[in-house]
């Protein structure tokens, strides 16, 4: 920081973030008879780190899955805050704290999202969860069918649709027991 004392005894100090901590200040005072003495005091430079508000968790279907969320924080000193992502690859955050993530089929599951708030001097990490859901495919080609026991094999073309994952689908037989 920059320190100065005027001839009338006014002490000024302009601190920066790098000055956080305790500093010993020594000055001298001289009277008109040219007698002087040195005096000392401690100057403590502080900053209150920003805090995060409660950021609720988000649930989203990836088919419509765009998460837009204003992140919450405060700074007791009134310093402007900036935001950045800690969790890489799970969305972006603007400098003003608007979080955005366009999810996809491969994002189904629970994700812990961590972002950082900085007040120009100190930072704090904050987290919330995004759970990405997926609708299951819908069978569209499975109709009841019958076949005579001594006839040729029955062949039914199965089909499915899904409003988010276009396929390819994998098929497996769960059972073929008599009803």
């Amino acid at each position: 920081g920059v320190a100065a004392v005027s001839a009338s005894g006014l002490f000024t100090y302009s601190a920066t973030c790098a000055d956080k901590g305790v500093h010993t200040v020594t000055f001298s005072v001289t009277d008109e008879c040219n007698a002087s003495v040195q005096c000392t005091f401690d100057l403590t430079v502080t900053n209150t780190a920003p805090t995060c508000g409660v950021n609720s968790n988000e649930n989203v279907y990836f088919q419509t899955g765009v998460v837009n969320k204003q992140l919450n924080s405060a700074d007791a000193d009134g310093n402007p805050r900036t935001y950045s992502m800690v969790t890489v690859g799970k969305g972006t955050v603007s400098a003003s704290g608007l979080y955005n993530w366009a999810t996809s089929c491969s994002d189904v599951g629970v994700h812990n999202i961590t972002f950082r708030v900085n007040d120009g001097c100190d930072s704090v990490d904050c987290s919330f969860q995004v759970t990405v859901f997926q609708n299951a495919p819908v069978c569209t080609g499975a109709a009841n069918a019958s076949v005579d026991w001594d006839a040729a094999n029955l062949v039914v073309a199965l089909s499915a649709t899904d409003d988010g994952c276009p396929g390819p689908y994998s098929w497996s037989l769960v059972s073929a027991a008599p009803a």
Side-chain angles (χ1 to χ4, degrees):
V2 178
V5 65
S6 70
S8 62
L10 181 63
F11 174 77
T12 58
Y13 186 79
S14 298
T16 67
C17 182
D19 298 319
K20 286 190 318 182
V22 178
H23 303 272
T24 301
V25 177
T26 303
F27 59 94
S28 67
V29 58
T30 305
D31 67 15
E32 64 184 38
C33 296
N34 214 21
S36 66
V37 65
Q38 287 190 347
C39 302
T40 302
F41 68 92
D42 287 337
L43 172 68
T44 303
V45 178
T46 64
N47 178 62
T48 303
T51 59
C52 297
V54 175
N55 285 289
S56 62
N57 295 333
E58 296 287 327
N59 296 318
V60 62
Y61 284 97
F62 84 86
Q63 291 90 334
T64 57
V66 175
V67 179
N68 287 307
K69 179 180 192 62
Q70 181 61 50
L71 304 176
N72 299 315
S73 70
D75 188 76
D77 301 320
N79 295 324
R81 297 167 312 281
T82 58
Y83 298 79
S84 60
M85 289 298 297
V86 175
T87 306
V88 178
K90 304 295 180 192
T92 60
V93 64
S94 69
S96 63
L98 181 61
Y99 173 75
N100 177 276
W101 183 24
T103 63
S104 69
C105 185
S106 63
D107 296 318
V108 171
V110 178
H111 305 274
N112 292 312
I113 307 299
T114 302
F115 62 96
R116 182 166 291 139
V117 182
N118 184 290
D119 68 356
C121 190
D122 290 311
S123 296
V124 64
D125 289 352
C126 312
S127 298
F128 62 96
Q129 282 187 338
V130 174
T131 302
V132 181
F133 294 96
Q134 173 185 349
N135 290 328
V138 175
C139 295
T140 57
N144 291 334
S146 63
V147 62
D148 193 318
W149 73 272
D150 61 351
N153 292 334
L154 173 67
V155 177
V156 175
L158 302 175
S159 62
T161 61
D162 189 327
D163 58 356
C165 273
Y169 303 111
S170 62
W171 299 86
S172 61
L173 183 63
V174 175
S175 70

